[in-house]
Amino acid sequence: MSGSKVRITDLREKKRRGEKIVMLTAYDANMARLLDGAGVDVLLVGDSVGVVMLGYDDTLSVTLDDMLHHTRAVARGTSRALVVADMPFMTYQVSVEEAVRNAGRLIQAGAAAVKVEGGPAIAGAVRRLVEVGIPVMGHLGLRPQSVHQMGGYHRQAVQREDIEALVEDAHALERAGAFAIVLEAVGHDAARQVTAAIGVPTIGIGSGPHCDGQVLVSPDMLGLFAGQIPSFAKQYVRLVDDITRAAREYVDDVRAGRFPEVALPATPKP
Ligand code: KIV
C-alpha cells in the first residue's frame, strides 16, 4: 500500500472519524518492509524484542543500545507507517533529563515517536518530551516493565475502582501531551470507558474491541515465536511449522546428497 507518511495527527483524525488504527510490532528492516507494504499504520519497535527476538525472559533486560539497533533497522525498512520506539526500562524513570536525552537518541535512530509505560509517575517526563518536540505514546494496564511490582502478567482494571483509576491515569497522560495510549490486558469495559473519556486514541492489546485501534506482537500473530503466546493473540499463520518443515527437508536433502543438484551438462551448440 502506498500513500503519504502516517503522522501522529492522522491517528487523532482516525479516532474522530471512527476509523480503526492498525499497529504491529517490528524489529528488523525486512519485516518492517513487509508490514509497511501491507498497510499497517504504526510499526512499534517494542521492547518485546527482548523476549521474541533476543531470548531474554522479560523486557527488563532490554538496553537502549538494543532498541537503537532495532529502531535503525525498522526505520530503514519503513516508508509509510509511523515508527514508534519503546523506551526501555530505566531509561526514562530516573530523571526527566535522562528521559529527554535517551528519547532523543531513539528519534535520531529513526523513530518518529517514543512509547513509555506508566501514569502520573511519568507525566513530568512525558510533558517535557512533548515540550521539546518528541511525540509520546503512553502505555497503561499491564505494564511488562513493572512485572515484579504488579505480581506477574495479570489482567488489569476489572473492578470498578481500578477502572476509575485507569481512566484517571489516561487523563493524566493526555494532559501531559501523549498523542495515543496503549491499553494492555485491561477489562473490555475499562477499555471502553477510557476510550470514551479521552480525546486521544487508545490502542488495545488483549483489551477487547472497544479501543480506537489494535496492536499485536507480530511474531505472535504470524506464529513465528516458538515460546508461549498469549491467548488473546490471533494467529493468522503458523510460520513455526513451515520453518521447521523446511529446515528438516533441507537437513535431509543435504545429508542424502539431493542438494545441491548435480548440474546437467550444457546442451552442445550446433
Ligand atoms: O513491547 C511491545 O511489544 C509492546 C506491545 C505489547 C504493545 O509494548
Side-chain angles (χ1 to χ4, degrees), residues 5 17 51 63 81 83 85 88 92 96 118 127-128 131 135 150 158 186 197 221 239 241:
K5 256 190 169 321
R17 289 201 299 255
V51 178
T63 65
V83 175
Y92 56 98
V96 171
R127 185 168 297 108
R128 187 66 190 137
E131 274 170 6
M150 297 182 120
V158 177
V186 304
M221 63 81 80
L239 293 180
D241 296 342

Side-chain angles (χ1 to χ4, degrees), residues 23 25 27 44 46-48 86 115 139 182 184 205 215 217:
M23 174 158 131
T25 64
Y27 314 104
L44 171 67
D47 59 358
S48 51
D86 256 336
K115 177 164 81 58
H139 183 147
V182 166
E184 179 164 355
I205 175 160
V215 55
V217 170

Side-chain angles (χ1 to χ4, degrees), residues 197-252:
I198 62 174
V200 297
T202 58
I203 302 183
I205 175 160
S207 299
H210 304 299
C211 294
D212 298 305
Q214 295 292 327
V215 55
L216 283 175
V217 170
S218 51
D220 290 349
M221 63 81 80
L222 295 171
L224 185 55
F225 180 52
Q228 176 106 29
I229 289 169
S231 54
F232 59 75
K234 180 170 174 185
Q235 281 198 342
Y236 287 81
V237 61
R238 286 267 315 163
L239 293 180
V240 162
D241 296 342
D242 291 343
I243 290 170
T244 306
R245 196 178 315 112
R248 282 201 184 120
E249 241 177 77
Y250 172 69
V251 167
D252 291 347

Side-chain angles (χ1 to χ4, degrees), residues 22-242:
V22 186
M23 174 158 131
L24 278 174
T25 64
Y27 314 104
D28 63 64
N30 186 53
M31 188 62 79
R33 196 168 291 120
L34 293 173
L35 302 178
D36 189 48
V40 172
D41 299 312
V42 184
L43 288 178
L44 171 67
V45 190
D47 59 358
S48 51
V49 68
V51 178
V52 295
M53 291 284 156
L54 303 179
Y56 301 147
D57 286 338
D58 51 42
T59 60
L60 301 176
S61 314
V62 175
T63 65
L64 185 61
D65 282 341
D66 290 333
M67 293 305 300
L68 290 167
H69 176 75
H70 289 277
T71 299
R72 284 189 199 102
V74 169
R76 283 194 291 268
T78 305
S79 42
R80 175 186 169 271
L82 183 82
V83 175
V84 180
D86 256 336
M87 295 197 71
F89 183 56
M90 282 301 123
T91 62
Y92 56 98
Q93 294 94 336
V94 176
S95 73
V96 171
E97 286 73 17
E98 271 191 46
V100 173
R101 191 172 302 113
N102 293 329
R105 293 191 65 197
L106 289 164
I107 299 295
Q108 285 172 328
V114 297
K115 177 164 81 58
V116 290
E117 298 182 7
I122 56 149
V126 174
R127 185 168 297 108
R128 187 66 190 137
L129 289 172
V130 173
E131 274 170 6
V132 300
I134 298 177
V136 180
M137 178 179 276
H139 183 147
L140 294 172
L142 198 169
R143 288 169 285 114
Q145 292 178 12
S146 303
V147 57
H148 299 306
Q149 175 71 26
M150 297 182 120
Y153 299 98
H154 308 300
R155 181 162 291 282
Q156 304 291 311
V158 177
Q159 306 301 329
R160 192 170 52 81
E161 55 277 18
D162 297 330
I163 297 177
E164 284 167 8
L166 184 72
V167 172
E168 277 317 303
D169 287 358
H171 276 307
L173 285 179
E174 182 178 22
R175 276 196 302 272
F179 71 89
I181 301 176
V182 166
L183 296 177
E184 179 164 355
V186 304
H188 296 193
D189 199 36
R192 190 180 53 72
Q193 289 193 38
V194 173
T195 302
I198 62 174
V200 297
T202 58
I203 302 183
I205 175 160
S207 299
H210 304 299
C211 294
D212 298 305
Q214 295 292 327
V215 55
L216 283 175
V217 170
S218 51
D220 290 349
M221 63 81 80
L222 295 171
L224 185 55
F225 180 52
Q228 176 106 29
I229 289 169
S231 54
F232 59 75
K234 180 170 174 185
Q235 281 198 342
Y236 287 81
V237 61
R238 286 267 315 163
L239 293 180
V240 162
D241 296 342
D242 291 343

